[in-house]
Amino acid sequence: AWVVERMGKFHRILEPGLNFLIPLLDWVRYVQSLKEIVINVPEQSAVTLDNVTLQIDGVLYLRVMDPYKASYGVEDPEYAVTQLAQTTMRSELGKLSLDRVFRERESLNANIVDAINQASDCWGIRCLRYEIKDIHVPPRVKESMQMQVEAERRKRATVLESEGTRESAINVAEGQKQAQILASEAKKAEQINKAAGEANAMLVRAKAKAEAIQLLAAALAQQHGSVAASLSVAEQYVSAFSKLAKDSSTVLLPANTGDITHMVTQALGIYTTLTKTQAVKTQDEIPPAHGDPQPPSTEVLKAEQATSS
């Protein structure tokens, strides 16, 4: 855009294309580029909220929106905008701490752009964006920041290690708990199986004993059963007599220990008495038949006398 003055006063703005001027009366006073302009903001010192001095520079992107205001509103628009960007940047940095300066660079750039546009509107210039190039931190502050970063990393490593240890301990405890539960269930099942086995064994032994008693009773009821019983009692007596004084040194013996015949006769007498007593009880339980009562037999009287004696 060419700003034309006539007789020392503003006349018009020439646009690109064919234009005519009157010699000696019209001349081009200002030439404004309507392209986007890039301006380097020089490095400057700024103090943050926590009193840390920084060296910071940036890049400013401008565009002339009104050639008339840009020509007559300010003497040097680029210099004015550059100074405004520097002062605004120092003001915005004073509101932030050092850590927030690095974290909030985008919001810092946006705040600087808004502040420049509010002031440069009367100059016909619009700030499109502002970018911070470099932030230089003092060496001692940089060392402190490095130490802080290392401490933070060590802290995170310690926290991660402790969390790993905790999870490991929890897993071990869960494993032990499950192992104890499984062991108790296995023990319970073992006891149940053992009890069931003992019960079955007791039933089998009882059945075997009952069958043995039945077989023995049947054998005694046969012919010569008493003789076989006498022989069995004699064998058991001899076997028991041979084991005397093996478990203990004190033994009580009857006077006629060597008389096996007497011992066998005595045992058979007791067996006969018990058998006859059982027979008498069985007959007493049977109701008598209608008719004349019969006198008791001689064997019954002998059994009663033996029972009373």
Side-chain angles (χ1 to χ4, degrees):
W2 291 268
V3 179
V4 178
E5 290 184 355
R6 175 174 292 179
M7 302 295 292
K9 294 182 180 181
F10 173 74
H11 178 58
R12 60 174 178 165
I13 297 176
L14 300 180
E15 296 180 355
L18 183 61
N19 296 282
F20 297 96
L21 296 176
I22 300 174
L24 301 177
L25 294 179
D26 299 335
W27 68 87
V28 177
R29 184 69 177 85
Y30 300 101
V31 178
Q32 302 291 346
S33 176
L34 301 181
K35 296 180 181 180
E36 188 172 349
I37 304 171
V38 181
I39 301 175
N40 288 322
V41 179
E43 186 178 71
Q44 60 177 336
S45 298
V47 181
T48 61
L49 184 63
D50 49 356
N51 297 325
V52 178
T53 303
L54 301 177
Q55 298 293 329
I56 188 168
D57 57 0
V59 180
L60 191 62
Y61 296 87
L62 304 175
R63 174 173 289 176
V64 176
M65 307 302 295
D66 190 345
Y68 177 80
K69 291 182 179 181
S71 301
Y72 298 99
V74 63
E75 181 65 27
D76 190 348
E78 294 183 3
Y79 177 77
V81 172
T82 302
Q83 295 301 316
L84 181 60
Q86 289 181 343
T87 56
T88 305
M89 183 168 55
R90 284 195 294 266
S91 176
E92 293 295 330
L93 285 175
K95 300 177 183 178
L96 302 175
S97 61
L98 181 60
D99 295 335
R100 293 183 60 190
V101 169
F102 293 100
R103 291 198 303 263
E104 301 181 4
R105 294 181 65 169
E106 294 183 359
S107 62
L108 181 62
N109 295 334
N111 294 335
I112 293 174
V113 170
D114 293 338
I116 292 174
N117 287 331
Q118 291 178 5
S120 64
D121 185 52
C122 60
W123 300 340
I125 299 174
R126 182 169 183 81
C127 179
L128 301 179
R129 57 188 179 276
Y130 178 85
E131 297 292 339
I132 297 176
K133 290 172 61 177
D134 296 321
I135 299 176
H136 300 284
V137 184
R140 297 186 62 180
V141 177
K142 185 180 294 185
E143 293 177 1
S144 300
M145 293 175 63
Q146 292 292 336
M147 294 175 61
Q148 181 180 359
V149 171
E150 292 177 1
E152 187 68 25
R153 291 180 178 176
R154 286 195 299 268
K155 174 185 175 182
R156 284 185 290 178
T158 304
V159 171
L160 292 176
E161 184 178 0
S162 63
E163 290 179 355
T165 303
R166 183 186 65 179
E167 292 180 0
S168 176
I170 292 174
N171 292 334
V172 172
E174 288 290 339
Q176 293 178 354
K177 177 182 177 182
Q178 294 295 331
Q180 291 179 359
I181 292 174
L182 293 177
S184 63
E185 291 179 354
K187 188 175 181 180
K188 176 182 177 182
E190 180 183 1
Q191 292 178 355
I192 292 174
N193 294 333
K194 185 177 179 180
E198 291 178 354
N200 292 331
M202 292 175 64
L203 291 176
V204 171
R205 285 196 297 268
K207 290 180 180 179
K209 189 173 182 180
E211 292 178 359
I213 292 173
Q214 292 178 359
L215 292 176
L216 180 62
L220 292 175
Q222 293 179 2
Q223 188 178 5
H224 304 295
S226 60
V227 177
S230 300
L231 178 60
S232 176
V233 171
E235 289 178 351
Q236 293 180 5
Y237 179 82
V238 172
S239 176
F241 188 78
S242 64
K243 295 180 181 180
L244 293 176
K246 286 187 177 180
D247 297 333
S248 176
S249 60
T250 302
V251 180
L252 297 177
L253 297 176
N256 55 351
T257 305
D259 191 358
I260 300 176
T261 305
H262 177 72
M263 291 294 179
V264 172
T265 304
Q266 185 179 2
L268 290 177
I270 294 171
Y271 171 74
T272 303
T273 301
L274 293 176
T275 305
K276 290 181 179 181
T277 302
Q278 186 67 26
V280 170
K281 291 181 179 180
T282 304
Q283 290 180 359
D284 292 340
E285 292 176 357
I286 299 175
H290 296 283
D292 297 335
Q294 296 180 358
S297 62
T298 305
E299 296 180 355
V300 174
L301 293 177
K302 292 181 179 180
E304 292 179 352
Q305 291 176 2
T307 304
S308 62
S309 63

